[in-house]
Amino acid sequence: KVIAASVIHYINSTLAVMEKYGTQEYTFANHAKFWSEMKGYALAFQFNPHAKISVSDFVLFHELVGDNPVLMNQDPSEIDSYKQKLLTARDILATTYEFKEENVKNW
């Protein structure tokens, strides 16, 4: 559960950074840090034989997150689509690990 909560935290951080696209508050360094920590922690589920997440949800989660972040120079529709994918990935973990919605949104 701790790893899942960490992944959710970094999904939320990635989404928060993406909301700063086009402003002086946006930094690529923070974006890269948050996204890579999210991805890295999420890979840990495959090495835990007691992970609660199913193989199919693990695969779907990583398909949604992808292999790299969507950056601000990409088409706005791609950015919006990717944000939705991150929310769906977050929902997979929240459901699997039975986290309360109010916690998931605030981590």
Side-chain angles (χ1 to χ4, degrees):
K1 277 187 126 174
V2 171
I3 292 172
S6 295
V7 174
I8 289 171
H9 167 75
Y10 286 115
I11 288 172
N12 291 341
S13 297
T14 299
L15 287 165
V17 167
M18 291 177 76
E19 289 301 316
K20 296 176 183 176
Y21 280 170
T23 72
Q24 292 198 350
E25 293 178 34
Y26 173 78
T27 64
F28 177 75
N30 281 343
H31 193 169
K33 176 188 182 308
F34 298 144
W35 188 91
S36 63
E37 291 200 46
M38 178 228 2
K39 182 71 173 181
Y41 280 115
L43 288 169
F45 296 121
Q46 70 183 320
F47 302 107
N48 182 350
H50 306 291
K52 196 171 179 182
I53 192 168
S54 68
V55 172
S56 61
D57 279 347
F58 174 84
V59 170
L60 177 58
F61 177 93
H62 285 282
E63 287 173 355
L64 292 165
V65 169
D67 294 328
N68 53 277
V70 172
L71 302 177
M72 70 178 171
N73 62 346
Q74 292 179 263
D75 185 84
S77 64
E78 290 180 49
I79 293 169
D80 290 341
S81 174
Y82 188 67
K83 287 177 182 178
Q84 189 56 54
K85 288 178 181 179
L86 288 179
L87 292 172
T88 301
R90 184 180 77 179
D91 288 346
I92 290 169
L93 294 181
T95 300
T96 300
Y97 289 92
E98 301 172 356
F99 293 131
K100 293 181 181 177
E101 184 177 346
E102 63 268 16
N103 292 335
V104 168
K105 290 181 179 180
N106 295 315
W107 282 334

